[in-house]
Amino acid sequence: MESKSPFKSDILKGKVALLTGGGSGIGLEISRQFGKHGASIAIMGRRKSVLDSAVSYLQSFGIPAIGLQGDVRKQEDAKRVVELTVKQFGKLDILVNAAAGNFLVSPEDLSPNGFRTVLDIDSVGTFTMCQEALNYIKKGGPGRSSTSGGLILNISATLHYTASWYQIHVAAAKAAVDAVTRNLALEWGTDYDIRVNGIAPGPIGDTAGMRKLGPEEISNKSREYMPLYKLGEKHDIAMAALYLASDAGKYINGTIMPVDGGLWLSRPRHLPKDAVKELSRTVEKKSRNAPVGVPPSKL
């Protein structure tokens, strides 16, 4: 059963959104929800077959949608896709950077080229798309008012908040994405009235990321460490994106919103819950019976 949106269906009416990685997974669900709430959608991706399928899917909901083939690592592709979006829809209000690369690998087995590839897609690609979109989403840009700018939304992760096994390349890339988000929020928020925010998803079911990183989904043992005891849904990320893209989030700038059920805070229990009270009593009793004051010298 599909989850319902808590937002009014017209909160993005008249908006135009361009999404990289918008043809599958989280990006496609954000595209769909933006479209169902009034936006016109352009999605960018490398594979034409995926784009064609995604556009047909979006159009089946009555969403005005186009697919534009391109690689975020190539500046000429980024420039062309942004220009074609504006040519088709007359303006650009929202840029969502959801294109990403990922695979499991130990640091000693990761080649510099593999490390560089993920940074190029996630970090450099995000910056390149932002830079090419700037003139269209800044206040006074084509199709925009002279008093307000648009929104950039970068899809990040929580891997780099602490550390993650076999994800050094992605952690480094997402840390860079977060830095780009905060710096552009400061500079472009000040100069061009552009809000720049991020969303950091946790493990989301039915996505390529989960199929790559947890082929059997998450084991029951791992699930016990999750504060909400469940995987997230693509719908959860799309709702967070809707909030940030709507007027409800109009004063939010420079924020990276974790949407992971609190997983990044979680650690395995080192003590069963039913043993906490007994241990606490024992510790308190020892504390009360311990001598108070400066210990006597042994000299």
Side-chain angles (χ1 to χ4, degrees), residues 28-49:
L28 180 57
E29 182 61 12
I30 295 174
S31 299
R32 185 173 79 102
Q33 292 298 341
F34 276 16
K36 288 181 68 175
H37 290 78
S40 298
I41 303 297
I43 55 175
M44 177 183 182
R46 285 179 291 170
R47 294 175 292 172
K48 186 176 185 301
S49 60

Side-chain angles (χ1 to χ4, degrees), residues 17-28 31 40-52 54-55 58 65-85 89 92 94-100 120-121 124-130 132-133:
L18 167 61
L19 300 94
T20 70
S24 62
I26 288 171
L28 180 57
S31 299
S40 298
I41 303 297
I43 55 175
M44 177 183 182
R46 285 179 291 170
R47 294 175 292 172
K48 186 176 185 301
S49 60
V50 173
L51 287 175
D52 290 345
V55 168
L58 294 173
I66 60 171
L68 300 167
Q69 196 169 4
D71 188 332
V72 296
R73 293 172 291 183
K74 298 178 180 178
Q75 187 172 8
E76 61 272 22
D77 283 10
K79 180 179 177 63
R80 174 177 50 80
V81 166
V82 169
E83 290 177 346
L84 288 173
T85 299
F89 295 118
L92 178 60
I94 303 167
L95 170 66
V96 179
N97 290 300
D120 281 346
I121 296 171
V124 181
T126 290
F127 175 75
T128 301
M129 291 302 301
C130 291
E132 291 301 330

Side-chain angles (χ1 to χ4, degrees), residues 28 33 42 47 60 65 90 94 101 129 132 143 156 173 178 184 213 222 225-226 231 265 278 289 291:
L28 180 57
Q33 292 298 341
R47 294 175 292 172
S60 72
I94 303 167
M129 291 302 301
E132 291 301 330
S156 181
D178 283 358
L184 292 186
L213 305 182
S222 296
Y225 304 154
M226 304 176 75
L231 294 172
L265 300 167
E278 184 59 35
N289 295 333

Side-chain angles (χ1 to χ4, degrees), residues 172-221:
K174 294 305 188 184
V177 170
D178 283 358
V180 167
T181 296
R182 293 189 181 101
N183 279 269
L184 292 186
L186 170 66
E187 300 193 55
W188 288 4
T190 302
D191 294 339
Y192 305 116
D193 197 31
I194 296 171
R195 292 190 299 115
V196 188
N197 291 302
I199 295 176
I204 304 300
D206 192 26
T207 60
M210 279 305 304
R211 288 189 289 274
K212 286 183 179 181
L213 305 182
E216 301 299 325
E217 297 290 12
I218 291 183
S219 69
N220 288 334
K221 185 175 180 181

Side-chain angles (χ1 to χ4, degrees), residues 21 25 58 106 113 129 134 159 177 179 195 243 251 280-281 289:
L58 294 173
S106 298
N113 187 58
M129 291 302 301
L134 171 61
L159 302 171
V177 170
R195 292 190 299 115
Y243 168 67
Y251 199 54
S280 180
R281 290 192 191 100
N289 295 333

